[in-house]
Amino acid sequence: MTLSFFDQFMSPVFMGIPLAAIAIALPWILFPTPSLRWTSNRFLSLQNWFINRFTQQLLLPINLGGHKWAALLTSLMIFLITLNMLGLLPYTFTPTTQLSINLGLATPLWLATVIIGMRNQPTHALGHLLPEGTPGPLIPVLIIIETISLFIRPLALGVRLTANLTAGHLLIQLIATASFVLMSLMPAVALTITVVLFLLTLLEIAVAMIQAYVFVLLLTLYLQENV
């Protein structure tokens, strides 16, 4: 048993070398690379179908200028889903529970959308800071509020992903610990808790996929405002 429930979120170290980089690079090894053959295996066909459907749904409301981001957003989606799903396996490390990694993903992408908006259409991009029809006395206050909300966006992206995954992992560990302790004292209660743990694991699988989709979807909405 670990000394603290938060020990599971510490980056593993082997011989003084942090293994977080290996955990981040692992997802790319698990996916097969496309081949030049007319017929492919079933897993590769399923992977291509998923990528095509996701890209089509994601880029449907975006202008043609934002379609250049298709490869980046789709790769980010697959990357986050794989990291989140691998983190649900026993004795594994989930890099997306680290706020520093999530902010490292969110901040450059958010900043890229802002720079694109300022470069291509600065008037429209600055117009988001002041809603149309605002009374004169409220203009300075609203500009400050909208500016703060603009700079909070990458923090909200990173904190949302970190908080949801961290809360789910903590809840799974708490319920698993309760089931293990009560197994010899109250077997019926321990069995009920085990069933709840199984249902919670299914919920966490859904949360792992949904949070990756929400992360990319919000980036898409930020991009839509600036293209």
Side-chain angles (χ1 to χ4, degrees):
M1 183 176 178
T2 56
L3 299 178
S4 172
F5 287 116
F6 291 94
D7 287 347
Q8 60 176 314
F9 303 113
M10 297 177 61
S11 177
V13 178
F14 180 72
M15 297 181 63
I17 302 174
L19 301 182
I22 299 178
I24 293 175
L26 179 62
W28 302 115
I29 306 175
L30 302 178
F31 291 95
T33 56
S35 62
L36 299 178
R37 298 181 300 172
W38 283 101
T39 57
S40 304
N41 57 47
R42 296 175 181 176
F43 183 68
L44 185 57
S45 300
L46 181 62
Q47 173 183 309
N48 293 336
W49 175 85
F50 171 76
I51 292 175
N52 291 333
R53 293 295 299 173
F54 168 74
T55 306
Q56 180 182 1
Q57 294 296 325
L58 186 67
L59 301 180
L60 190 62
I62 304 181
N63 299 331
L64 292 177
H67 290 186
K68 301 174 183 178
W69 288 56
L72 175 61
L73 294 177
T74 305
S75 301
L76 179 62
M77 172 74 176
I78 297 174
F79 178 67
L80 290 177
I81 286 180
T82 310
L83 284 181
N84 296 346
M85 297 291 288
L86 290 176
L88 294 174
L89 298 175
Y91 303 102
T92 55
F93 169 67
T94 312
T96 45
T97 57
Q98 306 295 314
L99 184 60
S100 58
I101 293 178
N102 294 332
L103 288 179
L105 291 173
T107 303
L109 295 173
W110 163 82
L111 186 60
T113 61
V114 174
I115 293 176
I116 288 176
M118 292 295 182
R119 186 187 65 179
N120 295 339
Q121 42 186 5
T123 304
H124 181 72
L126 294 175
H128 290 296
L129 301 179
L130 186 63
E132 187 177 357
T134 304
L138 295 179
I139 290 178
V141 178
L142 283 178
I143 291 178
I144 295 175
I145 293 175
E146 291 297 329
T147 303
I148 294 175
S149 66
L150 177 64
F151 284 97
I152 284 179
R153 285 180 175 181
L155 182 62
L157 279 176
V159 170
R160 179 185 291 106
L161 184 59
T162 303
N164 281 280
L165 295 179
T166 302
H169 283 64
L170 283 176
L171 192 57
I172 287 178
Q173 186 169 357
L174 285 171
I175 295 178
T177 303
S179 177
F180 178 76
V181 172
L182 295 176
M183 186 64 69
S184 58
L185 301 177
M186 293 179 285
V189 177
L191 181 61
T192 304
I193 295 177
T194 304
V195 174
V196 174
L197 177 62
F198 175 74
L199 297 176
L200 180 62
T201 304
L202 295 180
L203 178 63
E204 278 303 306
I205 293 175
V207 168
M209 294 186 289
I210 291 172
Q211 289 303 317
Y213 176 73
V214 169
F215 189 93
V216 178
L217 180 63
L218 290 177
L219 282 175
T220 306
L221 295 179
Y222 300 157
L223 179 64
Q224 184 181 355
E225 294 179 357
N226 294 282
V227 294

